[in-house]
Amino acid sequence: MKKYKTIAILLMFSACMLKGWAQNSPITIVETPVDARASGMGGFSLMSTDRNYLYLNPGTIFQGDTKLTVSANGVLFSKTEGSKGRLMNGMINAGWRFHDKHVVYVGARYQGGLIFTANKGQFDNHANDALEVKPSEYTVDLGYTYHIAPKFSAFVTGSFIQIYTGRTAYAALFSVGGNFCTDLDLGKYASKLNIAFRVADFGSPIYYKRSESYTAPSKIELTGDLGVDLCENHQLTFALGGRYYFLPEEVRYLNANVGAEYQWRKQFFFRAGYQYSSENNDLWSVGLGMNYQKAKIDLAFLKGFHTSFGNRLMATISWSF
């Protein structure tokens, strides 16, 4: 009877957490974006950045002189029917660059805040007490980046994941990728092109026990962005990218992202973007940002077209030294 109770709780949790998420991932935390700048430009998960490197693009740290970087992010989801509380996500990560060609990263993520109530009588005819479950997910994340050549860097990241849905389960996922950056000649406008790719989220299934395991969708990502200096105080950045989910076999779908950012005086930022999904997970987004000395503050709002679960408010703060 305990087995059926746990399975029922897991299914109830998954149905609520993944409403509107075509991939039906049993590890939803890896699908939650954790950078307000990239999210404000259309929900990107891989693009050039000067903040939040570990979870966005570890290879672009070599485009500046940053030696130490720290970022924190918070995500607030819309209210979910059938549960108490509100789903939230929190993240912190840091990176240290040494000997010029090497960078190590460490980070942690948390996702939770919902409370589900079930009647024990659903599983045992002699029990009528309410059963309260607070599902949650945690990750500890590590990364390493190597500067192979002036324009190219390669990186690998790994995540140890714990999931609680009435029982505790564990998984380990890995990602590998590379980043290429070069200056372009667009006449009187100085510009920079960045192209990044990654094979992400492959590794062990999430195990409750040997006879009960779930596979996280693995994906291939490719993103290009072009930054153009219009004049001393004005810059535009355009980004285009996509993610294709290819594992497990029953998961086959595409997300495509497009976005833009306007920068004024290298201090204030205005962003907008759109995400297309072949499985009706479309959304639009807007964002704002500000640089103040060594700190960067970003806000983003994402709005789902077909489900309120896609609605998210995000805030990121970063420091670079």
Side-chain angles (χ1 to χ4, degrees):
M1 191 66 65
K2 182 178 179 180
K3 171 184 176 181
Y4 296 112
K5 178 177 70 174
T6 304
I7 293 174
I9 292 171
L10 174 62
L11 293 176
M12 178 177 63
F13 169 57
S14 298
C16 185
M17 287 279 284
L18 302 171
K19 184 179 180 181
W21 288 59
Q23 62 267 36
N24 292 320
S25 172
I27 311 176
T28 60
I29 194 170
V30 302
E31 300 296 341
T32 301
V34 290
D35 181 78
R37 175 179 178 260
S39 295
M41 295 175 67
F44 283 91
S45 60
L46 180 67
M47 63 177 298
S48 65
T49 184
D50 59 355
R51 68 206 81 183
N52 212 352
Y53 297 98
L54 174 60
Y55 297 117
L56 193 59
N57 186 340
T60 55
I61 192 170
F62 297 108
Q63 296 175 18
D65 57 1
T66 297
K67 299 297 183 183
L68 177 65
T69 177
V70 179
S71 298
N73 185 81
V75 184
L76 186 65
F77 291 78
S78 60
K79 290 286 288 182
T80 305
E81 295 181 5
S83 66
K84 301 177 184 177
R86 185 188 291 267
L87 185 62
M88 297 177 289
N89 179 291
M91 173 281 300
I92 187 167
N93 75 93
W96 175 50
R97 179 176 174 180
F98 60 99
H99 299 312
D100 197 49
K101 291 182 176 293
H102 307 270
V103 185
V104 292
Y105 300 97
V106 62
R109 290 173 285 178
Y110 161 80
Q111 187 155 293
L114 296 178
I115 304 173
F116 293 95
T117 303
N119 193 314
K120 290 183 180 179
Q122 293 175 280
F123 319 107
D124 184 350
N125 292 331
H126 302 288
N128 294 310
D129 297 333
L131 178 68
E132 196 171 79
V133 179
K134 300 177 181 179
S136 59
E137 298 174 75
Y138 300 87
T139 76
V140 175
D141 311 287
L142 300 173
Y144 170 74
T145 301
Y146 179 66
H147 199 193
I148 297 174
K151 297 182 180 181
F152 185 76
S153 59
F155 54 85
V156 58
T157 62
S159 299
F160 177 76
I161 303 168
Q162 175 184 294
I163 298 178
Y164 176 75
T165 56
R167 282 186 296 172
T168 302
Y170 302 93
L173 298 179
F174 302 90
S175 302
V176 294
N179 190 84
F180 173 80
C181 183
T182 186
D183 294 326
L184 290 182
D185 183 6
L186 297 181
K188 64 178 181 179
Y189 301 115
S191 61
K192 181 174 292 186
L193 174 67
N194 195 89
I195 299 175
F197 66 91
R198 174 165 54 195
V199 180
D201 300 336
F202 59 90
S204 72
I206 175 170
Y207 281 104
Y208 287 87
K209 58 182 181 180
R210 289 186 179 275
S211 60
E212 187 182 342
S213 63
Y214 305 88
T215 302
S218 300
K219 57 184 178 281
I220 299 173
E221 300 175 288
L222 177 65
T223 296
D225 50 87
L226 177 67
V228 181
D229 291 327
L230 300 179
C231 61
E232 182 179 359
N233 294 323
H234 304 274
Q235 184 185 70
L236 287 176
T237 300
F238 304 95
L240 178 66
R243 297 186 293 275
Y244 178 68
Y245 293 79
F246 63 94
L247 285 177
E249 292 184 359
E250 63 270 18
V251 176
R252 291 288 188 276
Y253 78 99
L254 173 72
N255 281 352
N257 309 79
V258 60
E261 175 187 73
Y262 166 70
Q263 177 186 144
W264 181 61
R265 290 182 178 272
K266 298 183 179 180
Q267 187 173 9
F268 298 100
F269 305 83
F270 305 89
R271 307 171 181 121
Y274 174 77
Q275 173 181 283
Y276 162 79
S277 172
S278 60
E279 295 292 337
N280 286 337
N281 194 26
D282 300 18
L283 60 83
W284 59 263
S285 63
V286 293
L288 299 171
M290 183 182 71
N291 287 352
Y292 180 73
Q293 295 182 357
K294 295 183 180 296
K296 305 176 181 70
I297 301 172
D298 300 292
L299 299 173
F301 176 72
L302 294 83
K303 173 70 175 178
F305 279 94
H306 305 289
T307 171
S308 61
F309 186 79
N311 300 347
R312 280 158 279 169
L313 181 64
M314 303 180 60
T316 301
I317 184 167
S318 303
W319 294 268
S320 297
F321 305 93

